[in-house]
Amino acid sequence: MMRSVRVVLGIFSVVAVCVLTQRALSQTPAPSKRIVIAASTMLDGTGRVLHETRVVVEGPKISAIDANAGPVDYDLRRLTVLPGWIDAHAHITWIFANDGKNAGMAGTTQEDAYQAASNAFVTLMAGFTTVQSLGAPNDLPLRDAIAKGWLPGPRVLTAVEPLVGKGEQTGTPEEIRAFVRKQKEAGADVMKIFASQSIRQGGGMTLSQEQLDAACDEAKKQGLRALVHAYKQAVRAATMAGCTQIEHGTMATDDDLKLMAEKGTYLDPQAGLVIENYLLNKEKYLGTPGYTDEGFAAMEKVLALNHDLVHRAAKTPGLKMVFGTDAVAGAHGRNAEEFIDRVRDGGVDPMAAMVSANSLGAEALGMADQIGSIAPGRQADIIALDGDPVKDITAVRRVVFVMKGGVVYKNVARGAIPAYAGVQP
Ligand SMILES: [Zn+2]
């Protein structure tokens, strides 16, 4: 008897190890068990609100929305249930060094890697199940470690190395095309292009129309979306070049916004968090490359210009405004502050703000059939807030439940995150 029990246990542990190895080697770990989630208020990610319903999850995907499904594994009634958010613009490996100073996103030490892993963890805990990192080559190992289930974090898409406009020095159209192909070969999910100087330096154009045309056309040929850092005139130039999405867009005119709406070009403006974070962490950034006293003085003005842009964009019929924070060191895990900024300072409708980080965000990534909505067949990326963001946008700070790909990473009691939770990094 004893002996056979031992044999059975021995076999069991071998099987268990195999299962774990399999999980680590496949995508994110996923339970095979059927999970039923009960919701009293559910935003499906497309703008619809469902009441008193249940979501059935099997493996990594949602298999049904069925009010009669049971037994209930997670009772999320009295919360607001919605799809995990998508941040279209983050810099997930951007960190502060041990001396407390801005260290950028190219760190290569073990400590740097742990900090990048921490950025990923706090971003996931804040309800963001997918982020697009724009971008750094060391996004790649982080992206892959998360995908293998080695680390908890959001699904990461990366631009690897961006194309930085430097006028003529950027290269000929042929050289630019070769650079785009190099990123594709390196494993890029998307192409990032800088067509303007930093707004702190005036925001002038750094690529000609011909260079932009080449960059965005080659990206399209390689099956990559092209996201362009653009201010002022560069917004129109990138739109004319057929690029996919404009990042920032500060000082775009109403006509530029109208043209973007006509052409289906996505706009990813920032209503506050990125600049608020710089101001909050001024001492950590000041004196590091690109951060001067003059630059900081300009930021306050830029913040007002960005509020104005988001106000005008929200009123432009048909313009697709996605959610991107431009999260750098100090902002990771506080990405949702940008929702509050958009609603409070940018005049964005709260439901539109949610959709911008759900189904519209997924559409902009070309992943609408996989993420961004709660529907059968989609990845089971589901979060719950203690509060209703449509009535009180600050509820986005109170993420009490996070599931990604069918795995629950966070499930804390209602009330565990105080209503005044907030802005400190
Ligand atoms: Zn950025």
Side-chain angles (χ1 to χ4, degrees):
M1 181 64 189
M2 277 305 289
R3 189 174 188 170
S4 64
V5 167
R6 230 178 271 146
V7 169
V8 168
L9 284 176
I11 290 170
F12 178 76
S13 59
V14 168
V15 170
V17 167
C18 289
V19 168
L20 284 175
T21 312
Q22 278 278 318
R23 259 192 210 169
L25 290 177
S26 66
Q27 276 276 310
T28 309
S32 53
K33 187 180 167 282
R34 178 174 173 275
I35 295 173
V36 177
I37 296 169
S40 49
T41 303
M42 186 168 91
L43 315 184
D44 77 345
T46 71
R48 285 199 311 158
V49 186
L50 282 72
H51 293 285
E52 305 306 333
T53 191
R54 290 174 185 182
V55 184
V56 184
V57 174
E58 288 182 72
K61 291 185 178 176
I62 296 164
S63 60
I65 312 288
D66 176 2
N68 299 315
V72 172
D73 298 283
Y74 294 95
D75 185 353
L76 304 182
R77 288 174 301 174
R78 301 203 301 152
L79 301 168
T80 304
V81 174
L82 67 161
W85 289 314
I86 299 163
D87 188 338
H89 188 151
H91 296 279
I92 197 78
T93 61
W94 196 319
I95 58 169
F96 294 127
N98 278 344
D99 64 1
K101 285 284 192 177
N102 166 37
M105 49 186 157
T108 53
T109 68
Q110 286 185 327
E111 280 165 334
D112 298 338
Y114 292 140
Q115 283 207 53
S118 167
N119 289 348
F121 177 69
V122 298
T123 301
L124 179 66
M125 290 301 111
F128 288 81
T129 47
T130 302
V131 302
Q132 185 160 248
S133 192
L134 302 179
N138 60 1
D139 289 341
L140 286 165
L142 180 63
R143 174 191 73 182
D144 296 346
I146 293 168
K148 285 170 183 163
W150 295 350
L151 286 174
R155 206 173 276 104
V156 175
L157 283 76
T158 175
V160 192
E161 201 183 329
L163 173 72
V164 180
K166 293 175 194 154
E168 293 240 320
Q169 286 175 25
T170 321
T172 63
E174 266 323 303
E175 286 165 339
I176 287 172
R177 287 177 186 275
F179 183 88
V180 172
R181 289 194 294 270
K182 197 176 122 200
Q183 302 318 309
K184 170 77 178 183
E185 277 160 32
D189 302 293
V190 59
M191 191 67 210
K192 168 78 182 290
I193 297 160
F194 284 86
S196 301
Q197 299 170 311
S198 166
I199 195 81
R200 296 187 296 274
Q201 281 126 31
M205 254 183 100
T206 57
L207 285 174
S208 68
Q209 185 70 53
E210 191 190 16
Q211 288 172 320
L212 257 176
D213 289 350
C216 290
D217 182 63
E218 189 63 31
K220 202 174 282 174
K221 282 191 180 140
Q222 298 303 317
L224 296 175
R225 293 165 295 114
L227 276 50
V228 184
H229 164 111
Y231 304 112
K232 303 181 183 174
Q233 299 91 329
V235 172
R236 174 164 289 257
T239 306
M240 294 307 293
C243 311
T244 317
Q245 184 165 307
I246 304 296
E247 300 301 318
H248 319 308
T250 310
M251 296 178 79
T253 65
D254 288 349
D255 280 346
D256 297 338
L257 297 176
K258 232 181 269 171
L259 183 70
M260 291 178 66
E262 276 164 28
K263 292 206 147 222
T265 313
Y266 295 95
L267 174 66
D268 177 21
Q270 284 73 44
L273 173 65
V274 62
I275 289 181
E276 289 161 5
N277 180 67
Y278 281 139
L279 297 172
L280 191 64
N281 292 291
K282 186 174 176 182
E283 291 312 313
K284 296 178 178 178
Y285 279 97
L286 201 59
T288 67
Y291 298 92
T292 60
D293 271 314
E294 302 76 64
F296 268 93
M299 280 189 201
E300 308 261 1
K301 281 183 207 138
V302 175
L303 189 57
L305 291 173
N306 285 346
H307 291 164
D308 169 63
L309 172 71
V310 174
H311 264 287
R312 289 185 292 117
K315 286 188 206 133
T316 305
L319 179 60
K320 298 181 190 182
M321 183 163 35
V322 299
F323 183 85
T325 63
D326 204 3
V328 295
H332 302 293
R334 299 192 299 119
N335 314 56
E337 293 297 317
E338 173 71 15
F339 287 123
I340 300 170
D341 296 326
R342 286 194 181 193
V343 171
R344 184 192 58 207
D345 304 326
V348 173
D349 167 71
M351 182 62 97
M354 293 298 99
V355 172
S356 73
N358 286 153
S359 61
L360 184 63
E363 181 199 304
L365 297 182
M367 297 175 75
D369 58 343
Q370 298 168 59
I371 58 174
S373 52
I374 298 183
R378 301 288 189 277
Q379 287 287 314
D381 292 358
I382 297 170
I383 64 172
L385 313 182
D386 185 356
D388 184 345
V390 178
K391 296 184 186 128
D392 168 17
I393 193 62
T394 69
V396 296
R397 290 173 175 155
R398 299 186 296 279
V399 175
V400 292
F401 179 89
V402 176
M403 170 186 269
K404 186 192 110 190
V407 178
V408 176
Y409 290 92
K410 183 179 191 180
N411 184 23
V412 301
R414 188 171 182 266
I417 301 170
Y420 52 82
V423 289
Q424 290 305 310

